[in-house]
Amino acid sequence: MSSEPVSRAEQRRRTEARILAAARRLFAEVGYDRATVRAIATEAETDPGLVMRYFGSKDQLFAQASGFEAEELITGTPAQAAEQLLLALEHKLAATPIDALAAIRSMFTHPDATAEVRSAMVSRQQQAAQHLAGDDADLRAGLIGALTIGVVIGRHLLRFDGLADADPERITALLRAAVHDIAHGPAAPS
């Protein structure tokens, strides 16, 4: 039995995919400083020279490996926006967000990672704020963002007792009232 020969372009695509996957895993596990090009190449079962050839530098590889996945746009009323943000959090809790964790773990030691995380979070915050009530929607969107990143870090990186093994739906159920209160703005005095 013979298989079809694989083209050079396909070989390159597969090697790049292996390198990118290995880089994501290592940046997420050990951060930018400790994830060396040699370790990434070993993990990807390739030569370190190919890592540099395909990605140019460790910084450029990091930029691709830690790119946040595009998230659905927030739409609708403050109540609908709150539910969409809770659903996005639930997805981040259900499956380990390797791209985001690579950036988050590395942001404490690498300025480019800090800028990457900040840029992604601010963009998401500004978009969400358009669908929250009140004059201080930017502040409230920032609070929901901080809550989200804190829960993701607590679950996936710090592995807090209870949070690390909790059902994602249970976590969002416990946060639902708080997220809705923040999304709707201050309640009228009684």
Side-chain angles (χ1 to χ4, degrees):
M1 290 188 178
S2 67
S3 61
E4 295 271 328
V6 178
S7 71
R8 283 184 171 232
E10 180 60 19
Q11 287 175 348
R12 178 183 174 129
R13 190 197 63 72
R14 289 178 184 177
T15 301
E16 285 176 340
R18 284 197 326 272
I19 292 168
L20 205 51
R24 284 184 178 120
R25 281 191 304 274
L26 285 174
F27 286 134
E29 288 173 18
V30 301
Y32 179 88
D33 289 337
R34 293 179 48 207
T36 65
V37 170
R38 185 173 301 284
I40 292 166
T42 299
E43 178 89 8
E45 298 177 348
T46 194
D47 184 81
L50 287 179
V51 174
M52 301 308 285
R53 180 184 202 181
Y54 294 160
F55 294 93
S57 69
K58 182 178 171 183
D59 282 342
Q60 290 172 319
L61 174 59
F62 177 78
Q64 285 190 38
S66 64
F68 286 85
E69 292 182 24
E71 296 189 68
E72 295 290 322
L73 293 178
I74 302 302
T75 60
T77 66
Q80 291 167 328
E83 285 303 315
Q84 292 166 30
L85 291 164
L86 285 163
L87 184 61
L89 173 59
E90 197 171 291
H91 289 300
K92 289 178 182 80
L93 298 175
T96 305
I98 297 296
D99 296 1
L101 291 178
I104 290 167
R105 183 179 298 274
S106 298
M107 74 182 192
F108 297 109
T109 60
H110 188 59
D112 289 344
T114 303
E116 181 101 13
V117 171
R118 184 181 190 298
S119 175
M121 294 298 292
V122 166
S123 175
R124 180 72 165 171
Q125 173 188 347
Q126 289 170 343
Q127 199 277 317
Q130 297 172 14
H131 300 280
L132 303 183
D135 294 336
D136 61 351
D138 285 335
L139 170 61
R140 286 181 288 100
L143 288 171
I144 293 171
L147 180 68
T148 298
I149 199 168
V151 172
V152 169
I153 289 171
R155 180 179 180 89
H156 294 296
L157 293 181
L158 299 175
R159 308 232 2 108
F160 286 152
D161 289 348
L163 182 57
D165 300 323
D167 185 47
E169 292 85 11
R170 176 70 177 133
I171 296 168
T172 55
L174 288 170
L175 293 172
R176 183 161 274 107
V179 171
H180 274 274
D181 285 349
I182 295 169
H184 290 283
S190 52

